[in-house]
């Protein structure tokens, strides 16, 4: 299969090439041109264990890899790496289900994809005979950074450089990154927000595209990389299979997913699952106070010119949702010219408007809602008091949005995606459940464990005393120069 740039249908790449490049040379995102070409019977997946299920789905989406190769890669990526080899358990809570995506090595849902991506990249290097080192550039709103560092550290032939907003991540998130070991890793804080980091990284790609680096190729571990998106399709199918197995639904019944959304990667993977045939009624996009996507899905105008709020769900503090570009491409029947012109508008004017018929198509598949910090806290409190289930702030945003939907369609099975462990945001969670958080966020971990009776995840427990190995801070204007210089260094 050849993947196409969302901005130019003639700019194509094989799966391994798309994975290694991350982003297309014209700034577009690589996309599957036609889902109807993919031969995969979703019904045949329902009986499988999660890891073989992941291999089958990935092989269908990335057919340059053989079934035997993909089986091997999935095993290497996942076996023994998560709390359970089921990877993503589905838990009934009240009249809904919570899909726990945070049982991986860094306690955030990004582990599902970032455990797999290094395997795909290493295999892609072998397939294409690539000799140069790959330098992964990653902008993070908090969780991608650590999950990527964990996935890529000490992987041969690959280096990783992570940028995070200096005051835009939690103390726990920051500690996870700045204590990362490995001879091929670097981490820099930037004075700026996530969008600044993401824009800087995208511009670095553009600069390196014009003037290639000596002996190194840049790539991305953000969800602009198709190899990052594909592994996320699995848990939608797995959740559906769990409902069938538990006798909660019959094969063919429709379910709705509510997804806490930032860069639109997670929810887009749900739409991929639907395109593969999975009976999904609606995908509901849940945002925090930065509700650019809610407005877009309701009105058809994407306008990033608005105040940026720092919220208690920082991984969703995003005003430029990169993967929406892929949705626009799908919803316009691969009209790359239209997508390119919308992206030009976004770049130059800060906003764009989609044609009415395209908006109608999008609204038939997607719902949207948002939830501010106060309601988020109230939701955590209510679900904890009434159901004895403790959720993090991102999950609570989605739960609150699902409430509205559930009122309108009470009989429908609704699955709320849970994207982080409550222990990743202990300060906000403690406050929400009526406790006075300890001054030090690390003490909050033990406090939360005591109050909730839940164990601190192993990967977070040792953080407080871990040695800080990365203390670089740069201005956002310096990012491109810094990244290019670092990428050019042979030895880190
Ligand atoms: C990254 C992240 C999200 C947003 O996911 P997208 O794929 O960017 O939409 C939501 N919650 C948490 C905890 C995350 O880390």
């Amino acid at each position: 299969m050849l993947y196409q740039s969302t901005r130019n249908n003639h700019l194509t790449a094989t799966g391994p090439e798309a994975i290694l490049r991350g982003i297309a040379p014209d700034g577009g995102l690589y996309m599957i041109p036609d889902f109807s070409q993919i031969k995969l019977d979703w019904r045949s997946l329902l009986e499988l264990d999660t890891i073989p299920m992941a291999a089958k789905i990935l092989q269908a989406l990335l057919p340059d890899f053989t079934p035997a190769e993909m089986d091997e890669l999935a095993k290497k990526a996942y076996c023994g790496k998560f709390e359970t080899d089921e990877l993503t358990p589905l838990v009934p809570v009240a009249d809904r289900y919570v899909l726990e995506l945070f049982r991986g090595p860094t306690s955030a849902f990004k582990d599902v994809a970032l455990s797999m991506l290094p395997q795909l990249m290493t295999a892609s290097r072998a397939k294409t005979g690539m000799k140069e080192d790959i330098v992964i550039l990653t902008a993070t709103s908090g969780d991608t950074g650590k999950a990527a560092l964990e996935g890529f550290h000490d992987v041969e032939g690959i280096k990783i450089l992570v940028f995070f907003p200096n005051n835009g991540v939690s103390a726990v998130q920051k500690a996870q990154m700045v204590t990362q070991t490995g001879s091929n890793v670097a981490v820099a804080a930037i004075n700026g927000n996530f969008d600044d980091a993401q824009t800087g990284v995208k511009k670095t790609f553009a600069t390196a595209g014009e003037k290639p680096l000596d002996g190194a190729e840049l790539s991305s571990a953000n969800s602009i990389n198709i190899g990052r998106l594909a592994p996320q399709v699995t848990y939608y199918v797995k959740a559906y299979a769990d409902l069938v197995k538990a006798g909660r639904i019959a094969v063919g019944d429709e379910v709705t997913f509510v997804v806490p959304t930032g860069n639109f990667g997670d929810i887009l993977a749900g739409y991929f699952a639907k395109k593969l045939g999975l009976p999904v009624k609606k995908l509901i996009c849940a945002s925090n106070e930065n509700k650019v996507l809610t407005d877009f899905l309701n009105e058809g105008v994407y306008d990033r010119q608005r105040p940026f709020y720092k919220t208690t769900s920082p991984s969703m503090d995003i005003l430029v949702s990169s993967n929406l570009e892929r949705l626009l491409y799908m919803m316009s029947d691969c009209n790359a010219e239209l997508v390119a012109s919308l992206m030009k508008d976004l770049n130059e004017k800060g906003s764009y408007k989609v044609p009415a018929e395209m908006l109608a198509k999008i609204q038939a598949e997607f719902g949207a809602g948002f939830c501010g910090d106060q309601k988020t806290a109230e939701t955590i409190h209510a679900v904890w008091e009434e159901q004895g289930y403790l959720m993090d702030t991102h999950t609570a945003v989605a739960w609150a949005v699902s409430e509205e939907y559930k009122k309108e369609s009470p009989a429908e099975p609704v699955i709320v995606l849970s994207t982080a462990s409550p222990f990743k945001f202990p300060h906000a969670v403690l406050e929400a459940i009526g406790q006075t958080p300890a001054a030090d966020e690390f003490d909050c971990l033990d406090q939360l464990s005591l109050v909730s009776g839940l164990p601190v995840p192993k990967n977070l427990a040792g953080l407080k005393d871990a040695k800080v190995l990365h203390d670089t801070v740069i201005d956002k204007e310096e990012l491109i120069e810094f990244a290019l210089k670092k990428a050019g260094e042979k030895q880190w």
Side-chain angles (χ1 to χ4, degrees):
M1 179 157 46
L2 286 180
Y3 302 77
Q4 296 171 183
S5 164
T6 46
R7 300 183 193 179
N8 179 351
N9 287 340
H10 303 293
L11 213 50
T12 59
T14 65
E17 285 166 354
I19 289 167
L20 292 172
R21 287 182 200 151
I23 192 165
D26 63 346
L29 309 186
Y30 285 116
M31 213 21 221
I32 296 161
D34 180 5
F35 275 81
S36 68
Q37 280 179 16
I38 297 177
K39 298 284 167 263
L40 180 72
D41 176 10
W42 62 274
R43 287 181 184 81
S44 72
L45 303 171
L46 300 179
E47 299 286 318
L48 298 177
D49 288 336
T50 313
I51 297 173
M53 180 192 285
K56 283 256 184 326
I57 294 171
L58 281 161
Q59 200 275 328
L61 295 170
L62 300 163
D64 293 278
F65 298 88
T66 66
E69 282 172 335
M70 203 55 102
D71 265 332
E72 193 57 37
L73 296 178
K75 272 190 209 142
K76 274 199 211 149
Y78 292 129
C79 281
K81 301 277 175 64
F82 281 56
E83 283 175 38
T84 151
D85 275 353
E86 197 193 349
L87 305 185
T88 54
L90 187 72
V91 185
V93 180
D95 55 358
R96 276 153 272 180
Y97 304 90
V98 173
L99 178 55
E100 294 187 341
L101 305 177
F102 58 81
R103 301 288 180 186
T106 78
S107 302
F109 95 97
K110 295 187 169 71
D111 287 326
V112 178
L114 284 164
S115 301
M116 191 68 207
L117 186 60
Q119 301 298 335
L120 291 172
M121 278 203 175
T122 302
S124 296
R125 283 186 87 228
K127 264 196 195 299
T128 58
M130 183 176 194
K131 296 280 179 299
E132 298 84 8
D133 272 5
I134 294 181
V135 179
I136 309 264
L137 294 185
T138 296
T140 183
S141 58
D143 292 329
T144 297
K146 176 58 185 183
L149 289 163
E150 187 62 35
F152 282 104
H153 76 88
D154 299 317
V155 173
E156 208 183 308
I158 303 181
K159 297 186 180 113
I160 172 157
L161 171 53
V162 171
F163 296 99
F164 71 90
N166 202 9
N167 295 313
V169 301
S170 80
V172 168
Q173 288 177 314
K174 183 168 176 173
Q176 281 187 304
M177 290 185 273
V178 299
T179 61
Q180 178 67 48
T181 58
S183 56
N184 62 336
V185 306
V187 178
I190 69 156
N191 294 320
N193 62 30
F194 170 72
D195 288 316
D196 297 323
Q198 179 158 260
T199 305
V201 164
K202 282 186 184 166
K203 284 188 179 155
T204 309
F205 280 115
T207 311
E210 282 157 23
K211 189 172 169 295
L213 298 161
D214 184 21
E217 291 269 357
L218 299 182
S219 188
S220 168
N222 284 87
S223 51
I224 52 178
N225 194 318
I226 191 77
R228 163 80 191 274
L229 215 48
Q232 297 181 192
V233 176
T234 302
Y235 47 74
Y236 287 91
V237 181
K238 159 73 169 55
Y240 191 91
D242 280 349
L243 287 182
V244 172
K245 272 186 210 143
R248 307 272 185 156
I249 58 170
V251 175
D253 288 354
E254 287 189 322
V255 301
T256 285
F257 292 92
V258 186
V259 188
T261 298
N263 229 348
F264 212 77
D266 197 359
I267 193 167
L268 188 72
Y271 189 53
F272 281 17
K274 184 169 188 178
K275 294 296 260 184
L276 295 176
L278 194 73
V280 177
K281 177 142 192 224
K282 279 240 167 172
L283 291 153
I284 299 186
C285 173
S287 300
N288 63 26
E289 197 70 39
N290 296 296
K291 61 182 184 66
V292 61
L293 286 167
T294 318
D295 293 344
F296 170 72
L297 292 167
N298 287 332
E299 292 152 27
V301 176
Y302 194 98
D303 188 355
R304 69 170 162 85
Q305 293 164 296
R306 57 176 72 211
F308 176 88
Y309 299 106
K310 275 171 65 173
T311 72
T312 53
S313 45
S315 303
M316 293 152 62
D317 290 348
I318 291 177
L319 293 181
V320 182
S321 292
S322 297
N323 273 295
L324 194 60
E325 181 169 346
R326 285 193 166 104
L327 184 70
L328 302 176
Y329 188 71
M330 293 170 91
M331 291 292 182
S332 64
D333 299 321
C334 307
N335 186 341
E337 271 140 52
L338 174 64
V339 175
S341 89
L342 295 175
M343 291 304 119
K344 192 158 172 270
D345 284 351
L346 183 64
N347 241 336
E348 291 171 3
K349 298 186 207 144
S351 70
Y352 62 80
K353 183 171 196 268
V354 298
E357 64 272 24
M358 186 161 155
L359 178 62
K361 255 173 112 172
I362 293 174
Q363 287 174 338
E365 310 278 2
F366 291 84
F370 76 102
C371 168
D373 277 358
Q374 173 152 4
K375 181 88 186 292
T376 303
E378 286 165 12
T379 301
I380 294 171
H381 191 219
V383 177
W384 172 241
E385 288 288 316
E386 290 158 25
Q387 309 296 334
Y389 186 83
L390 191 64
M391 50 180 54
D392 97 295
T393 44
H394 303 74
T395 310
V397 166
W399 185 274
V401 169
S402 78
E403 208 89 68
E404 296 301 308
Y405 187 78
K406 200 64 197 173
K407 266 189 216 141
E408 288 161 27
S409 323
E412 214 175 284
V414 169
I415 297 172
V416 175
L417 273 60
S418 176
T419 47
S421 157
F423 286 93
K424 268 204 110 162
F425 304 95
H427 191 278
V429 171
L430 277 165
E431 255 181 0
I433 59 173
Q435 304 287 320
T436 307
D440 180 324
E441 199 178 280
F442 298 101
D443 295 335
C444 293
L445 287 172
D446 295 327
Q447 191 186 355
L448 188 58
S449 176
L450 209 62
V451 175
S452 66
L454 300 167
V456 180
K458 257 194 266 142
N459 74 82
L460 301 176
L463 269 184
K464 188 174 180 176
D465 303 315
K467 190 162 181 257
V468 173
L469 301 169
H470 310 275
D471 58 4
T472 307
V473 183
I474 59 169
D475 284 331
K476 62 184 180 193
E477 293 79 13
E478 292 175 273
L479 191 152
I480 302 173
E481 196 187 342
F482 180 88
L484 290 173
K485 180 163 172 288
K486 191 80 193 166
E489 288 171 12
K490 290 268 170 305
Q491 205 64 46
W492 281 19

